[in-house]
Amino acid sequence: MEVNITINGSEHASDVEPRTLLVDHIRRTVGLTGTHVGCDTTSCGACTVLMDGTPVKACTVLAAQADGSEVTTVEGLKGADGLHPIQSAFTDDHGLQCGFCTPGMMLVGASLIAENPDPSDDEVRWAISGNLCRCTGYINIVKAIQTAAARVAESSNGS
Amino acid sequence: MFPSRFDLVVAQTVAEAVEAKVDAGEGGRFLAGGQSLIPMMKMRVAFPETLIDINRIGGLDAIERANGHLRVGALVRHADVVASDATFGAVASAAPWVADPLVRNRGTMCGSVAHCDPEGDWNSVLFATGADVIAQGPGGERSISIADFVDGAFTSTLGEEELVVGLRIPVPSGRSGGAYLKLERKIGDYATVAVASHLELDDSGAISAAGLALTSVNPINTKVGDAEALMVGQQPSEELFAEAAELAAAAAEPRDDVRGTAAWKRQVVRTYTKRGLAAAAQQAEGS
């Protein structure tokens, strides 16, 4: 069946089998491999993408269900003026070790700070509670998301 | 992993969805949030021949109060329940503990109810609050009390040609309170034990209605009818709730498993029942 999904601002029209999962569509058909497949059982959140701005587990959404929607993957975070604040904060605060969970963590973090400009430790931990880091690097992940929030708040105050 | 092959029907109206189900027969399944069904299809535990996607149907995404009820449409996601101002008591208390934030963004309350996972959270809340499931089939709409709806693990009395279009949860007119206390190993895991409680008080402060239900300690969500009957007409008290907790513990037949021993889980039922009822009473007294 024909699906038309806007991924990171570009329209992708493709003919997919109904059983194609959104994550496989993104990785194999569109060729964006930043979205990872971890557990493949709706537990780990490595496959997180934003669907119309809302974080979802792309291993548990059919590509057909995303027809007509706007999807943001980790590749879409970077803007014209460089890395997204969440990306530079993960770099600066060592928010990643092996990096496997990082795309999902950053997308959930970006979605959180878009709604909550000053999240507490508990709020960040609650927001990322559907994402697993098997390196257990949560302390710096939480720190990085808060750093990003503070930088976004600072730059919007300054402008 | 990926599901076995199926035909996808994207329904635009409830009537279209029901018609597609009639055509598909036994091999048809409705798809709402898909947070249980898609994993089951990927594991080839479920292999529908026809999947009827109801996500594009308009008008099913409202959660609102009308005529003394909280009405929850078939496309209301768990996250919508968390965010809603229309909820109360045990419903509001349970919503943030369903699955994890990402699953809550997709999964629906009605889908979870219809799925009848014996370890699901919502059916206990519906037992405690005395809710009805609204089903629509080719012959029209009917209302089924949750007690009549739940038939067993992953089994309901929903007709083969019916779609769950909503839930109707009675909103207490007087003072009321409720809680859903869930013990889980980590966010997103099934409950090790969970207890849903609901109390309504009359003008004298006595309990006029009581609801108590347990998750994950029996082959299906369990309504503790004898504890409910015991409490009605009584003044809320620590002693009364301790008695109710004994009845709840007696109604629980948990099993030893990776989440803990049966004896320990029964003790958690006792403790959570006392705490849940105390929290419900406190909320009712302050309301």
Side-chain angles (χ1 to χ4, degrees):
Chain A
M1 61 183 296
E2 186 77 8
V3 295
N4 198 339
I5 308 174
T6 303
I7 302 176
N8 303 330
S10 319
E11 275 193 35
H12 294 269
S14 334
D15 187 28
V16 302
E17 263 195 274
R19 61 175 168 168
T20 307
L21 298 161
L22 178 60
V23 71
D24 292 329
H25 180 63
I26 291 168
R27 288 177 56 88
R28 296 179 188 174
T29 319
V30 182
L32 295 171
T33 55
T35 306
H36 294 161
V37 179
C39 68
D40 211 359
T41 55
T42 336
S43 300
C44 78
C47 63
T48 301
V49 300
L50 305 185
M51 201 168 132
D52 293 325
T54 303
V56 300
K57 293 180 175 176
C59 77
T60 313
V61 177
L62 301 173
Q65 290 182 287
D67 184 29
S69 64
E70 294 203 9
V71 168
T72 305
T73 70
V74 67
E75 290 92 342
L77 280 175
K78 188 168 175 260
D81 46 354
L83 293 179
H84 186 284
I86 197 92
Q87 294 174 301
S88 43
F90 266 72
T91 312
D92 296 342
D93 285 341
H94 302 277
L96 62 151
Q97 291 177 44
C98 83
F100 199 84
C101 73
T102 313
M105 290 288 184
M106 291 199 301
L107 286 163
V108 168
S111 150
L112 172 68
I113 65 180
E115 283 171 24
N116 180 349
D118 184 22
S120 67
D121 266 29
D122 278 355
E123 286 168 338
V124 175
R125 286 175 184 276
W126 189 251
I128 63 169
S129 59
N131 298 73
L132 296 180
C133 167
R134 291 292 78 172
C135 307
T136 69
Y138 295 104
I139 297 220
N140 285 350
I141 291 170
V142 173
K143 197 170 150 194
I145 293 172
Q146 288 175 321
T147 298
R151 287 180 185 168
V152 169
E154 203 176 306
S155 70
S156 59
N157 287 343
S159 64
Chain B
M1 296 190 289
F2 46 90
S4 53
R5 279 196 187 85
F6 56 84
D7 292 325
L8 183 68
V9 177
V10 181
Q12 303 296 335
T13 63
V14 170
E16 238 178 78
V18 170
E19 199 187 311
K21 187 70 176 73
V22 171
D23 292 345
E26 238 179 273
R29 288 288 295 261
F30 292 113
L31 173 69
Q35 301 299 284
S36 296
L37 181 56
I38 294 177
M40 286 172 74
M41 288 168 63
K42 288 168 68 177
M43 287 186 276
R44 310 290 172 109
V45 179
F47 26 83
E49 290 158 18
T50 307
L51 204 53
I52 303 151
D53 184 355
I54 66 165
N55 284 278
R56 315 266 167 181
I57 300 177
L60 292 181
D61 58 353
I63 173 165
E64 60 198 0
R65 290 190 184 194
N67 304 325
H69 288 91
L70 176 66
R71 182 92 196 226
V72 182
L75 290 175
V76 171
R77 319 276 163 183
H78 306 297
D80 300 328
V81 185
V82 175
S84 169
D85 295 331
T87 58
F88 62 93
V91 179
S93 172
W97 296 102
V98 175
D100 69 45
L102 306 180
V103 171
R104 285 198 293 275
N105 284 340
R106 286 296 294 166
T108 64
M109 185 173 177
C110 286
S112 175
V113 169
H115 186 49
C116 282
D117 189 317
E119 295 175 300
D121 297 302
W122 282 127
N123 284 352
S124 290
V125 173
L126 298 196
F127 272 122
T129 53
D132 291 332
V133 177
I134 315 297
Q136 189 163 327
E141 206 177 83
R142 70 176 176 128
S143 171
I144 312 159
S145 78
I146 186 67
D148 290 334
F149 181 80
V150 176
D151 200 29
F154 303 106
T155 320
S156 74
T157 57
L158 189 71
E160 196 183 289
E161 299 175 344
E162 285 180 315
L163 168 68
V164 172
V165 289
L167 303 169
R168 205 155 52 200
I169 308 167
V171 178
S173 50
R175 292 188 295 165
S176 73
Y180 188 70
L181 300 188
K182 179 179 181 180
L183 179 68
E184 55 185 4
R185 293 180 302 175
K186 61 170 284 294
I187 300 281
D189 191 17
Y190 284 114
T192 302
V193 173
V195 178
S197 11
H198 171 80
L199 293 176
E200 295 176 36
L201 304 182
D202 65 19
D203 293 340
S204 72
I207 296 169
S208 54
L212 186 67
L214 315 174
T215 310
S216 286
V217 290
N218 280 314
I220 192 70
N221 307 62
T222 318
K223 181 178 170 70
V224 193
D226 51 358
E228 295 174 343
L230 166 83
M231 290 187 281
V232 173
Q234 309 281 322
Q235 288 289 327
S237 73
E238 222 173 282
E239 295 70 35
L240 179 68
F241 296 156
E243 246 185 282
E246 286 312 314
L247 294 174
E253 291 292 342
R255 287 194 299 192
D256 292 332
D257 64 15
V258 67
R259 294 184 178 87
T261 63
W264 173 69
K265 289 183 197 173
R266 189 172 285 116
Q267 182 55 32
V268 177
V269 169
R270 209 172 265 128
T271 305
Y272 274 27
T273 302
K274 283 190 268 191
R275 283 187 200 165
L277 289 169
Q282 198 182 10
Q283 198 183 87
E285 280 156 4
S287 69

